[in-house]
């Protein structure tokens, strides 16, 4: 179970980085 | 409502608004790096930067700021998770607490890192002193500081002209902690200790009962299983009880920041209804004041930093305009109680058959109905979540108020930092709506509000709504979700809806009546808390980056003034309309139908 929850947290973090990328693309990469 | 109660609530609001003013100005000076009365700590601040290898003059883009915030919080989650899982091997565990289960550890780690402090566990029966201090209390400080940092970055977005940077996350985090949260918490903790809040490393105490009693203890066979009688029921034997265990610990230092940082996680299971957490009327007043003080003061900070105090006053006025009627509704509902019950009791009380009593069901009996309603309203207006009364036992309308306050997005004062940046997202939406009405490009504080800002504000407003409604829907459809509901029907639905409203808005209070320390709820609510925190902070930082890169446009005759009573009404209306349209249907299935059932007898 420890591995599951640690992996789950890592997935959540990766999704959040994906959201940063999405916002960045909406902004057109500036500034 | 009683005169006494109204006067107490009026005193609270008066002290809150008066105290928020100087604190807000002080915080602005901290963030703008101007001299203040704690400037003598500069050496310590710069020592911390040197220790961490941080260049305090280094500006971050919004992406760097967001990544720094995310990485810092992620490390916090792993640290708290690890502490809980290994607490049985670590010192400061006088009650010999075993390791916390993996699902509860995940839930609690996310809960405290996201400033939610939802607690599926009972503190005194689960956590070692080390876990409470090093895990939970530290996160209480830094999660609050992270929220304040994101707000300050957004404010800089409004004030900077054509800038790529929005500040430095590490600097904002350090200043929030060192100059604001630590000093305030230190003073409050000392005052709370003077009132009787415990602060000790001693093991739990035992006290001889003045009135020894007996309990029914299940009989266990040699195989460790309960012995059943001929009807298949567990057999019990009488066990005399002559002593009581009194849980103690380093509570005051955690209680102070739990209130000031809008965290809310209690040292003890019953939170601020515990006499060791909230022992006197003065302690109750100060703790309730601490729930809203920083969030209210940040409005003043905002006005100072944008160079127009009226802008901060308008936001504060909007919060007060929304808060006071909801407080009155909660207090009025609880003071009135169940009218059907009153019809039965009142004649018998008049005849002297039963004592005339107020509606004390679920209340903090030491401080009365007004202070129970005030705490319930304040703790859910802010994303605090500590409780001194049991919301599950409130009247349906009294329970609807705290639930709806959370569902409005925790923007009426809200969490430290997160409340105001949520309200600013609504402000962006409000000027956009006003711009649509008059056919002009909307502006806010001299910055043109364009499609990107409106998209980001929409994400900030809609993410929590989606998390709450989808989460509650999944829970009531899943067998594991309904298995631990204590009450069937509308009240049971309210318990589930409240849990997701709390987690999905980073509040952390519990309605009670729902067994949430299960694999299903620990995981589902953990996910809700994570998304509600970071998936709002990231669009806010993106908005800050976009705004900072823009020019400042001088106001013209077509500019909507955002410091006037008209704007306060417009902003409050947007908050209410979004909250009403999104959640009234769900509330109709819970507290509203309960209210109708109650009135119908």
């Amino acid at each position: 179970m420890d591995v599951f929850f640690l992996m789950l947290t890592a997935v959540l973090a990766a999704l959040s980085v994906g959201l940063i990328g999405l916002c960045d693309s909406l902004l057109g990469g500036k500034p | 409502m009683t005169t006494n109660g109204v006067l107490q609530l009026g005193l609270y609001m008066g002290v809150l608004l008066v105290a928020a003013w100087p604190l807000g100005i002080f915080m602005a000076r901290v963030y703008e790096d101007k001299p203040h009365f704690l400037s003598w700590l500069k050496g310590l601040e710069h020592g911390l930067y040197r220790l961490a290898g941080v260049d305090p003059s280094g500006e971050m883009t919004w992406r760097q700021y967001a990544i720094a915030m995310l990485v810092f919080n992620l490390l916090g989650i792993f640290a708290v998770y690890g502490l809980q899982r290994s607490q049985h091997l670590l010192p400061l565990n006088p009650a010999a607490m075993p390791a916390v289960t993996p699902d509860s550890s995940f839930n609690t780690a996310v809960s405290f890192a996201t400033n939610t402090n939802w607690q599926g566990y009972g503190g005194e029966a689960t956590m070692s002193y080390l876990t409470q201090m090093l895990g939970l209390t530290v996160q209480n400080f830094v999660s609050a500081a992270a929220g304040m940092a994101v707000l300050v970055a957004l404010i800089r977005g409004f004030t900077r002209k054509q800038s790529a940077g929005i500040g430095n996350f590490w600097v904002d985090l350090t200043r929030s902690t060192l100059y604001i949260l630590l000093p305030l918490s230190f003073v409050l903790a000392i005052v709370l200790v003077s009132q009787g809040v415990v602060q000790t490393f001693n093991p739990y105490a035992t006290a001889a009962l003045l009135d020894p009693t007996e309990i029914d203890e299940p009989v266990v066979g040699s195989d460790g299983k309960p012995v059943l009688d001929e009807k298949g029921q567990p057999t019990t034997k009488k066990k005399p009880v002559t002593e009581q265990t009194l849980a103690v610990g380093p509570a005051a230092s955690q209680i102070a920041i739990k209130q000031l940082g809008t965290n809310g996680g209690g040292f003890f299971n019953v939170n601020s209804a515990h006499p060791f957490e909230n022992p006197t009327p003065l302690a109750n007043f100060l703790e309730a004041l601490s729930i809203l003080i920083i969030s209210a003061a940040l409005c003043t900070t905002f006005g100072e930093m944008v160079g127009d105090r009226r802008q901060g006053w308008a936001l504060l006025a909007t919060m007060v305009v929304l808060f006071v009627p909801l407080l009155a509704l909660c207090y009025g509902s609880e003071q009135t109680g169940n009218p059907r019950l009153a019809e039965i009791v009142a004649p018998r009380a008049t005849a002297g058959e039963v004592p005339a009593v107020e509606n004390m069901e679920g209340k903090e009996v030491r401080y009365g109905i007004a202070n129970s309603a005030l705490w319930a309203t304040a703790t859910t207006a802010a994303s605090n979540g500590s409780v001194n009364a049991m919301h599950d036992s409130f009247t349906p309308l009294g329970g609807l108020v705290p639930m709806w306050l959370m569902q409005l997005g925790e923007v009426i004062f809200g969490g430290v930092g997160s409340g105001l940046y949520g309200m600013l997202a609504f402000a962006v939406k409000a000027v956009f709506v006003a711009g649509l009405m008059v056919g002009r490009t909307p502006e806010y504080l001299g910055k043109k509000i364009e499609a990107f800002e409106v998209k980001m504000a929409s994400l900030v407003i809609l993410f929590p709504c989606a998390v709450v409604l989808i989460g509650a829907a999944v829970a009531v459809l899943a067998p594991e979700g309904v298995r631990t509901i204590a009450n069937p029907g509308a009240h049971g639905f309210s318990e589930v809806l409240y849990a997701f409203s709390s987690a999905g808005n980073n509040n952390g209070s519990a309605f009670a009546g729902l067994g949430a320390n299960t694999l299903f709820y620990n995981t589902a609510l953990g996910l809700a808390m994570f998304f509600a925190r970071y998936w709002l902070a990231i669009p806010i930082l993106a908005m800050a980056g976009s705004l900072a890169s823009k020019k400042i446009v001088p106001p013209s005759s077509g500019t909507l003034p955002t410091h006037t009573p008209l704007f306060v009404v417009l902003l409050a209306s947007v908050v209410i309309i979004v909250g009403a349209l999104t959640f009234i249907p769900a509330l109709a299935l819970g507290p509203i139908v309960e209210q109708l059932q109650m009135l119908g007898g």
Side-chain angles (χ1 to χ4, degrees):
Chain A
M1 287 297 275
D2 285 324
V3 174
F4 170 75
F5 283 111
L6 294 176
M7 291 296 289
L8 180 61
T9 309
V11 168
L12 291 173
L15 286 172
S16 302
V17 173
L19 180 63
I20 293 175
L22 176 68
C23 293
D24 195 28
S25 66
L26 285 173
L27 188 56
K30 52 164 188 173
Chain B
M1 292 189 269
T2 66
T3 306
N4 182 306
V6 172
L7 285 175
Q8 288 190 59
L9 302 186
L11 175 70
Y12 174 86
M13 289 305 296
V15 174
L16 173 70
L17 296 176
V18 169
W21 174 247
L23 179 60
I25 293 173
F26 166 71
M27 289 194 289
R29 298 191 75 81
V30 167
Y31 291 123
E32 292 179 323
D33 203 19
K34 292 178 179 172
H36 51 78
F37 78 101
L38 290 175
S39 291
W40 53 274
L41 287 170
K42 276 278 168 200
L44 178 57
E45 181 193 344
H46 286 277
L48 289 170
Y49 296 146
R50 276 194 295 277
L51 199 65
V54 170
D55 173 14
S57 62
E59 284 284 317
M60 291 178 168
T61 65
W62 79 264
R63 290 180 288 287
Q64 292 169 324
Y65 205 101
I67 292 286
M69 177 206 66
L70 209 55
V71 168
F72 179 74
N73 281 274
L74 202 62
L75 291 175
I77 290 173
F78 286 137
V80 177
Y81 186 92
L83 266 173
Q84 292 174 92
R85 295 290 293 139
S86 58
Q87 67 175 9
H88 57 297
L89 307 171
L90 298 171
L92 288 175
N93 186 10
M97 298 294 180
V100 183
T101 59
D103 55 314
S104 181
S105 296
F106 167 75
N107 183 282
T108 304
V110 174
S111 175
F112 278 74
T114 56
N115 199 248
T116 311
N117 290 29
W118 170 270
Q119 296 173 289
Y121 63 90
E124 66 272 48
T126 311
M127 300 294 181
S128 72
Y129 291 170
L130 187 73
T131 306
Q132 295 260 31
M133 288 192 307
L134 193 60
L136 309 188
T137 306
V138 167
Q139 287 303 313
N140 281 353
F141 277 100
V142 295
S143 66
M148 294 163 83
V150 172
L151 170 68
V152 173
L154 179 60
I155 296 175
R156 289 195 192 105
F158 285 112
T159 58
R160 293 192 173 176
K161 300 170 195 167
Q162 295 178 295
S163 165
I166 56 170
N168 185 308
F169 175 75
W170 309 113
V171 172
D172 294 334
L173 183 81
T174 305
R175 288 185 182 155
S176 302
T177 309
L178 185 63
Y179 296 117
I180 299 166
L181 297 173
L182 268 172
L184 281 173
S185 300
F186 183 79
V187 172
L188 182 61
I190 297 291
V191 174
L192 292 179
V193 167
S194 79
Q195 295 300 297
V197 177
V198 294
Q199 179 74 17
T200 177
F201 286 139
N202 286 342
Y204 293 175
T206 50
L209 291 179
L210 295 174
D211 186 11
T213 185
E214 287 184 334
I215 60 169
D216 291 323
E217 189 178 59
V219 178
V220 180
S222 56
D223 56 356
K225 294 181 179 174
V227 176
L228 304 179
D229 60 16
E230 61 275 9
K231 294 178 182 171
Q233 298 297 315
T235 56
T236 59
K237 63 180 178 184
K238 296 290 182 189
K239 180 185 176 187
V241 178
T242 57
E243 286 185 334
Q244 180 188 5
T245 301
L246 298 175
V248 292
S253 52
Q254 185 167 329
I255 306 312
I257 185 60
K258 132 193 163 185
Q259 302 300 75
L260 286 162
T262 59
N263 299 282
F267 192 92
F268 302 107
N269 192 24
V270 294
N271 212 291
S272 295
H274 196 294
F276 287 170
E277 278 204 37
N278 186 11
T280 65
L282 178 61
N284 188 72
F285 183 83
L286 291 175
E287 288 184 29
L289 190 66
S290 303
I291 293 174
L292 296 185
I293 184 78
I294 293 181
S295 297
L298 280 169
C299 295
T300 302
T301 306
F302 173 76
E304 290 288 310
M305 290 181 72
V306 300
D308 183 355
R309 290 180 174 178
R310 298 171 304 174
Q311 300 292 341
W313 294 341
L315 295 175
L316 183 60
T318 307
M319 294 176 182
V320 172
V321 161
L322 291 167
F323 178 76
V324 171
L326 288 169
L327 171 61
L329 176 60
C330 183
Y331 177 38
S333 300
E334 293 313 304
Q335 191 71 51
T336 305
N338 184 337
R340 299 284 83 83
L341 192 61
E343 284 171 10
I344 298 167
V345 174
R348 297 186 64 194
T350 307
E353 296 171 9
V354 294
V357 291
E358 292 186 299
N359 174 34
M360 294 305 289
E361 166 70 29
K363 306 300 179 302
E364 170 52 273
V365 292
R366 296 171 297 164
Y367 310 135
I369 296 172
N371 284 300
S372 299
L374 170 63
W375 194 298
T377 312
T379 199
T380 47
S383 72
N384 185 282
S386 63
V387 293
N388 77 351
M390 297 302 111
H391 302 177
D392 192 40
S393 293
F394 279 18
T395 60
L397 271 187
L400 179 146
V401 169
M403 204 182 320
W404 200 44
L405 274 164
M406 294 186 292
Q407 292 165 348
L408 288 174
E410 295 290 18
V411 296
I412 304 171
F413 297 106
V416 289
S418 60
L420 188 52
Y421 68 62
M423 184 58 99
L424 287 168
F426 274 103
V428 165
K429 193 64 89 179
V431 294
F432 171 66
V433 169
L436 285 180
M437 287 193 281
V438 296
R440 289 183 63 95
T441 304
E443 297 162 18
Y444 189 55
L445 303 172
K447 293 290 175 99
K448 283 202 179 298
I449 302 301
E450 296 172 296
F452 181 76
E453 287 76 33
V454 176
K455 285 175 190 168
M456 294 300 106
S458 301
L459 287 179
V460 170
I461 294 167
L462 294 178
F463 264 143
C465 301
V467 167
V468 171
L469 292 175
I470 294 171
V474 169
V476 295
L477 288 172
E480 270 303 296
V482 295
R483 185 175 61 82
T484 51
I485 296 175
N487 300 277
H491 198 68
F493 177 74
S494 295
E495 289 164 356
V496 174
L497 182 63
Y498 192 103
F500 279 93
S501 301
S502 179
N505 288 282
N506 294 134
N507 180 272
S509 68
F511 207 44
L514 177 71
N517 196 6
T518 65
L519 179 62
F520 174 81
Y521 278 111
N522 278 331
T523 309
L525 296 174
L527 293 174
M529 290 185 280
F530 188 97
F531 287 125
R533 180 68 167 182
Y534 304 117
W535 284 42
L536 271 63
I538 289 169
I540 286 289
L541 289 172
M543 194 197 304
S546 171
L547 290 168
S549 68
K550 295 185 179 191
K551 296 174 186 170
I552 292 183
V553 183
S556 67
S557 57
T559 303
L560 173 74
T562 51
H563 59 270
T564 60
L566 175 66
F567 184 72
V568 170
V569 171
L570 178 66
L571 180 54
S573 303
V574 170
V575 173
I576 290 288
I577 290 167
V578 170
L581 290 178
T582 311
F583 287 104
I584 290 287
L587 290 168
L589 297 173
I592 294 175
V593 76
E594 272 190 89
Q595 180 76 12
L596 297 174
Q597 285 173 333
M598 182 185 80
L599 295 176

